[in-house]
Amino acid sequence: MTQQLIDYYKAIEDSSAKMLEAARVQDWDGVVRFEGACAVLIEQLRQRASVESLDEASRQEKSRIMRRILHNDAQIRYLAEPWLAHCEQKFEAQQKFLH
């Protein structure tokens, strides 16, 4: 059972890595798609984790995986900042046009 639970963390990490690769090539639709996959996996993990627990070795592996996910997330945010600023400018311009 522990192996199945840790597999969710690994799958989330994999999806996070794919999000980062998509962000690197400015494939924002891909980022959103992999973000959706992460959300589904996280919800499944929450449900599974409420009835299962990890042994010590798996908890250590989980910590390593979580650090890599957080690192990926930071890189994705850094890469997305210019795109988000561009979207914000377009939105503000539309708002001015509508008023």
Side-chain angles (χ1 to χ4, degrees):
M1 289 284 211
T2 296
Q3 188 58 37
Q4 291 176 345
L5 192 55
I6 200 73
D7 287 342
Y8 281 101
Y9 289 99
K10 291 176 182 178
I12 293 166
E13 179 187 14
D14 181 61
S15 190
S16 169
K18 289 176 180 172
M19 282 175 62
L20 177 55
E21 288 306 311
R24 284 181 175 148
V25 297
Q26 298 183 3
D27 175 10
W28 305 115
D29 290 335
V31 171
V32 170
R33 189 172 52 253
F34 291 119
E35 183 180 29
C38 277
V40 169
L41 289 165
I42 289 167
E43 184 55 36
Q44 291 172 343
L45 171 63
R46 282 188 182 129
Q47 291 175 6
R48 194 57 149 305
S50 69
V51 295
E52 293 179 34
S53 60
L54 296 171
D55 60 26
E56 181 59 31
S58 295
R59 282 195 298 276
Q60 290 177 3
E61 184 176 8
K62 170 192 162 189
S63 292
R64 288 188 296 272
I65 291 168
M66 293 300 296
R67 281 192 294 274
R68 290 190 299 264
I69 290 170
L70 290 172
H71 179 75
N72 289 347
D73 184 63
Q75 289 183 338
I76 292 163
R77 289 175 189 271
Y78 175 78
L79 293 167
E81 282 179 7
W83 177 73
L84 291 171
H86 174 73
C87 289
E88 187 175 311
Q89 288 174 349
K90 287 181 83 171
F91 179 73
E92 288 174 358
Q94 272 188 335
Q95 292 290 50
K96 288 178 185 175
F97 180 74
L98 293 174
H99 291 287

